[in-house]
Amino acid sequence: MKEKLAVLVLLTVFSLRVSAQNEKPFITDKISDKYAYVDVIKTYERIAAKGYKSVDLFQKLGNSSYSNYKLDKAAAWYGELFAITSDLEPVYYYRYAESLRFICQNEKADAVIEKLNRKPKVTTRKKV
C-alpha cells in the first residue's frame, strides 16, 4: 500500500513539472529596440585608420580577422603588430606566418618562423 502511495505521489509531482514546461516563451523584440548594436571590430578599424597604434589594438584586430578566416586582413594587422614589437607570444608568430602563406608570401612567412626559432626560449624551473 505504501509503495502505491509513493508511486502516486511521484507521478503527481512529475506531472506538475511537465505541465510547468508549457509556459509562453520570453519575447525579446521589444527589449532589443532599446539597445544599439556596436560592431567593435569596425570601431577598432576606424581607430587604426586615424593613426592610433598600440600592441593591444593590433592584437585584437589580427585575432579577430584570423578567427573569422579573413587571413589577408589578419596578415596586414599582424604586420602592423610586428612593426611595433617583436616581444610577442609564439602563437602570434604562427598566426602571422600562416596568414602570410595564405596570401602567397612564403618567403616572408619563413622569415617570421626563423625569427621565432632565433628567439630565446624562456624556461621556468619548478621549485623543489
Side-chain angles (χ1 to χ4, degrees):
M1 182 70 179
K2 288 184 180 181
E3 290 177 11
K4 288 183 181 179
L5 183 61
V7 170
L8 182 63
V9 169
L10 286 174
L11 287 174
T12 305
V13 169
F14 285 126
S15 66
L16 290 175
R17 291 198 77 144
V18 171
S19 66
Q21 298 297 323
N22 295 331
E23 291 184 18
K24 186 177 177 183
F26 184 70
I27 299 173
T28 60
D29 292 337
K30 294 177 183 176
I31 294 174
S32 65
D33 293 339
K34 296 178 185 177
Y35 299 104
Y37 174 75
V38 177
D39 190 0
V40 178
I41 301 305
K42 286 185 181 179
T43 304
Y44 286 154
E45 287 175 346
R46 282 193 306 255
I47 291 170
K50 289 182 180 179
Y52 180 77
K53 297 182 180 195
S54 77
V55 173
D56 187 46
L57 176 70
F58 292 135
Q59 282 177 339
K60 288 178 181 178
L61 284 169
N63 290 341
S64 171
S65 298
Y66 184 85
S67 64
N68 289 325
Y69 302 109
K70 297 177 182 175
L71 298 181
D72 50 341
K73 280 187 173 182
W77 293 124
Y78 287 136
E80 293 286 334
L81 176 65
F82 276 84
I84 293 174
T85 184
S86 62
D87 185 30
L88 297 165
E89 297 175 20
V91 68
Y92 291 106
Y93 286 87
Y94 288 117
R95 288 180 178 179
Y96 184 35
E98 188 174 325
S99 300
L100 288 171
R101 288 190 199 285
F102 177 78
I103 58 173
C104 299
Q105 293 185 1
N106 294 329
E107 296 83 18
K108 201 170 181 181
D110 292 338
V112 169
I113 294 297
E114 183 61 34
K115 209 184 280 188
L116 174 63
N117 291 336
R118 285 183 298 194
K119 191 174 177 180
K121 309 266 190 273
V122 177
T123 58
T124 58
R125 299 180 85 191
K126 292 183 178 179
K127 293 183 179 180
V128 181

